Structure formats: structure tokens, C-alpha cells
Amino acid sequence: MTRSLETLTEALLVAAKRAGAEAADAIAVDGIATAIDIRAGKLEQAERSEGVELGLRVLMGKRQACVSVSDTSDASIAAMAERAVAMAREAPEDAYAGLADPSQLAQGWDMAALELCDPSEEVPAATLEEDARRAEAAAMAVEGITQVEASASQSRRQIHMAASNGFSGGYGRSSRSVSAVAFTGSGTGMERDWAAEGRIFAADLPSADEIGALAASRALERVGARQPKTGAYPVLYDERISSGIIGHMLGAINGATIARGSGWLRDALGRQILPSGLSVIEDPHRARISGSRAFDGEGLPTARRAIVKDGVLTGWVLDLATARKLGMQSTGNAARGTSSPPSPGTSNIDLTQGTKSRAELLADMGTGLLVTSLIGSSINPTTGDYSRGASGFWVENGQIAYAVNECTIAGNLRDMLMRMTPANDARMHMSTRVPSLLIEGLTLAGA
């Protein structure tokens, strides 16, 4: 008889206590996923995965250890608990490890309001293959496209967490996606671009035809790409990639980074790091959004908060351990899997949108670079010095002049944040909503 995930986590806690653990938390994940890849009109790959994975963390004083297994038998659970306790006894002490106090735990959440799982039936692989073939056909129907790689996938996961401090909670997640990469030209003149969409509810997903056609249109725009000029120019980061800039900021204020005494924003708490009027909001309670959650990976309640308010950094991204080390309170940002302890991570992020469209920002920049793709990364985690390969479009007199590739953008992230101007084109369904960003005074290395 198949046991529920809640029953499995309870069994893990009982086994941990029997093995001698002083405290423990457990997670059980039941997941299925199907993916179809089409290339050059043929089925390239069909994948299906399904199974249950269990994770157990035990604490012996200030020592902890994590073990994960995919065998849900009683014998496996007992052996897993004994192994975890033996490992914890030999682990180095961590003065900040430990479960939440029961008074800190989330209570009375409304998981249904978050709409994290599509109630409709799982579709057969043939339906996914049809989606991928439609995306491919729509792209190939555009003159000039020579090849297309298209994919479609779906996944469902049920998750339950429990701990010896009394926490117990779970939820389900689903996703459905379609993507296409279109190629044009050949040899050294070959160019490509992509389009992809993913949603929690299949009914919200744009049509595969739209996705394929958009990939083709983007690829054809890149025909004749060449290196841009070298010098100091404004750069407009397209909405498709602009979230990376805010991602670098969030990484620099992650509690794990700050607790180590590193990070290029380690001295910025309470100081201005963005232009006045701009805020970064974390909202883990948006319905039908992949990053939403009612409680974090340690059972603490989640809440909407301004990480940056009117340009000023108001707090770090903390779980319990990093908060204890810094003498602060957890911000409810713990994330965890089955094989490692919790660590800090954000949920849904919003950067204040601007008042101008991307086209208006292009007009404002005059001459510069519109970046649509970034390649590689060289970020100095201590100083924030930034260097990335890029491709996109050269802009002259506020208009796109030609496609560019093989160039490098360099600057310092702290300076870049203070010089950015957001457009108003963030996509509302994204977990991280960041519009196109115009940043002045970056160094381009091209021809």
C-alpha cells in the first residue's frame, strides 16, 4: 500500500528519534516529469521520470547531518536515520544550527489561494509532442529559418515537510512549458534565437504556434550580426535578461554571503543602492506564480516585504542559521531540498517599473547597445566588478541599426545599480518581474 508523504515524514521523525537524534526535520517529494524534444522534424528525445525522494536532517546538539534516499521501505527509513545520526555525531559543531522555536512556525495558511497546482489531468506524451511539433512548424514556416529545436514538458510535484518542533505542512506544484530555438544562415554566418513560455496552469500557456513564430522572428533579426564599437556607451538590457542584474544584487545580500563577511554589498544595509523611487519587493503570495509559498523551508511563515525601499537596502535574505550568526531574525527565506540543510533564497521579486516603454528608452539612449543575450560571467564577489559576453543590437539615433555579437560589457555592479532606469515592460506572469533596464556609462569591447 502506498503511504502518503505526510505519513512518510512522520515515519522519518520517529526513526530519527529511535536512532538517538535530539531533533530532526524531514521532507518527502513525489514527482513526475515528462519532456519531449524535436529536432529537424524528428523526435530527438523523450524522457519520463517519476519517483519519491526522502530527505532527513538530524541534529545532535550543534552537530547536524543530512541523508536522502529514494527507497521508502521501513528498513530503508530505519537505516537512513541510523546513518544520519552516526554522521551527525562525527560532524563539526555549528553554533547556529537548529530548528525553529515552535512559536515561530507558520499557522493557518491558505495554500489553495496560491493556486500552485493545476487540477486538470496530466496530458499524455503525445500531446507534448504535438506542442513541440507545432512550435517547430510555426518557426519553419517563416522564410529564412533553416532549422528548429523545439521542446515541450510538464511536471507535477507533491511536497511535505515535518519537524520534531511540531511543524507539518505540504503542497503541490505543477508546470507546463513550450520552447523553441530557431536557426538561420550557415557556417560562420549562422545565427539563432529562442522563445519559451511556462505556466503553472496549462490553460494560461500561450499557443505553441506563437512561441515558434516568435523564435523565428528573433532569429531573423540577428542576420548579419557583427561586432560593435569599442568605448563607453549606455546599455539597455532587454527584459528577457534584465532580471540577472537584480539577481546579482540579491546574491550579494544573501545571508550566507553576508555571514561569511563577504559580498560587494556587505556594508550597504540602510544605505542607498538604487536610484530614489525604485524598490525591490518580495511577494511570496502571488497566485499562480512558480515562486510562491505559504511557508519557507524551515516552516516559518512567509510575508511580503520591501528588500529595497525607495532605493535604500532594508534587510538581508536570511534563514534561521544565518540570522542567528548575524544576531537578527529570519526573514522566512529558507529553501531546502532533500540532500542538504536549509539555505537562504528568495521567492517572487518585483522591481519598480518605470514610466517609459523600451522604445522610448532606446530613443533616450541615442547611441549604444541593446543586449538580448549574455554569455559567460565574470563577477568579482568582493568588489562587484562585472564582465560578461553579450550579443544584441547596435542603436544609433535611438533606432536599432544592426545586430551585434562577440562583444564584452564591463562595469561595476554597485555603480550600475545606481545608474539604471527601468522601462515599463515587465511580464506580469513571471516570478521575477524586472523590466528592461537602461544603464549608462558601461564599457564595451568590440571591434
Side-chain angles (χ1 to χ4, degrees):
M1 181 178 177
T2 303
R3 290 188 284 181
S4 70
L5 298 186
E6 183 175 3
T7 301
L8 287 169
T9 57
E10 290 171 356
L12 286 165
L13 296 179
V14 169
K17 184 176 181 180
R18 188 177 295 131
E22 297 175 16
D25 58 15
I27 181 172
V29 182
D30 186 357
I32 59 172
T34 308
I36 300 293
D37 297 331
I38 299 292
R39 183 179 182 183
K42 297 179 180 179
L43 180 63
E44 176 84 356
Q45 184 167 267
E47 288 186 325
R48 169 78 174 184
S49 63
E50 52 185 273
V52 176
E53 188 172 4
L54 306 178
L56 176 66
R57 176 174 64 139
V58 302
L59 294 108
M60 305 292 292
K62 290 298 181 181
R63 305 174 192 270
Q64 66 178 351
C66 295
V67 176
S68 63
V69 299
S70 55
D71 181 349
T72 63
S73 67
D74 289 335
S76 174
I77 288 173
M80 175 187 188
E82 290 169 3
R83 186 162 64 253
V85 169
M87 291 170 59
R89 287 193 171 111
E90 301 301 322
E93 283 200 356
D94 181 349
Y96 308 104
L99 304 183
D101 185 88
S103 64
Q104 295 176 284
L105 297 176
Q107 303 285 342
W109 55 81
D110 184 4
M111 197 63 72
L114 296 181
E115 297 185 274
L116 297 179
C117 194
D118 190 341
S120 63
E121 292 293 321
E122 179 188 6
V123 300
T127 300
L128 297 177
E129 182 176 349
E130 180 185 352
D131 283 348
R133 290 191 179 280
R134 284 174 53 204
E136 180 196 38
M140 287 299 297
V142 179
E143 185 177 357
I145 298 300
T146 56
Q147 183 178 308
V148 177
E149 296 174 358
S151 301
S153 66
Q154 67 179 350
S155 68
R156 289 175 184 265
R157 288 190 304 154
Q158 292 291 327
I159 301 167
H160 196 91
M161 299 191 305
S164 56
N165 58 9
F167 179 79
S168 181
Y171 54 90
R173 289 192 185 276
S174 66
S175 70
R176 182 85 175 270
S177 65
V178 177
S179 64
V181 181
F183 297 79
T184 184
S186 61
T188 58
M190 179 180 289
E191 294 290 342
R192 70 176 186 175
D193 212 325
W194 59 273
E197 294 286 354
R199 301 288 192 279
I200 289 176
F201 281 65
D204 296 338
L205 190 67
S207 76
D209 308 82
E210 294 176 50
I211 295 165
L214 180 57
S217 173
R218 287 172 170 171
L220 291 174
E221 289 173 348
R222 301 209 44 74
V223 171
R226 56 189 188 270
Q227 286 185 291
K229 302 173 183 176
T230 292
Y233 293 98
V235 173
L236 181 61
Y237 286 81
D238 183 74
E239 182 272 339
R240 284 197 283 167
I241 59 166
S242 59
S243 61
I245 300 295
I246 300 304
H248 293 313
M249 183 207 80
L250 294 172
I253 64 169
N254 186 285
T257 299
I258 301 302
R260 290 194 301 268
S262 60
W264 49 274
L265 288 174
R266 61 190 177 278
D267 60 349
L269 190 62
R271 299 183 180 179
Q272 185 172 4
I273 63 170
L274 296 180
S276 298
L278 297 189
S279 298
V280 175
I281 306 296
E282 180 177 29
D283 185 357
H285 298 160
R286 291 168 53 204
R288 296 197 183 198
I289 302 299
S290 61
S292 294
R293 55 194 182 188
F295 49 81
D296 77 350
E298 294 175 308
L300 274 64
T302 56
R304 187 179 189 274
R305 69 174 181 131
I307 296 174
V308 178
K309 185 175 182 180
D310 194 21
V312 176
L313 178 63
T314 67
W316 310 123
V317 177
L318 303 173
D319 62 357
L320 283 169
T322 55
R324 290 169 183 145
K325 187 170 184 178
L326 294 168
M328 298 178 170
Q329 294 295 313
S330 171
T331 54
N333 281 107
R336 70 164 300 179
T338 57
S339 59
S340 59
S343 60
T346 54
S347 58
N348 305 314
I349 294 294
D350 279 290
L351 173 68
T352 305
Q353 293 215 66
T355 58
K356 295 184 177 181
S357 67
R358 193 187 78 162
E360 289 173 316
L361 287 187
L362 285 174
D364 289 347
M365 76 186 289
T367 298
L369 181 66
L370 166 62
V371 180
T372 58
S373 178
L374 292 167
I375 308 154
S377 180
S378 176
I379 310 295
N380 186 310
T382 303
T383 64
D385 287 341
Y386 170 98
S387 177
R388 299 202 65 178
S391 60
F393 299 90
W394 190 250
V395 177
E396 292 182 354
N397 299 318
Q399 299 291 323
I400 291 176
Y402 52 85
V404 300
N405 56 17
E406 299 180 3
C407 67
T408 301
I409 304 172
N412 181 275
L413 284 165
R414 203 157 187 168
D415 298 334
M416 291 165 65
L417 292 178
M418 286 299 296
R419 294 201 300 259
M420 70 183 191
T421 302
N424 61 2
D425 59 348
R427 289 175 288 170
M428 292 299 99
H429 70 275
M430 300 292 287
S431 174
T432 299
R433 297 190 293 199
V434 177
S436 298
L437 297 175
L438 175 60
I439 300 178
E440 301 284 346
L442 295 180
T443 300
L444 303 185

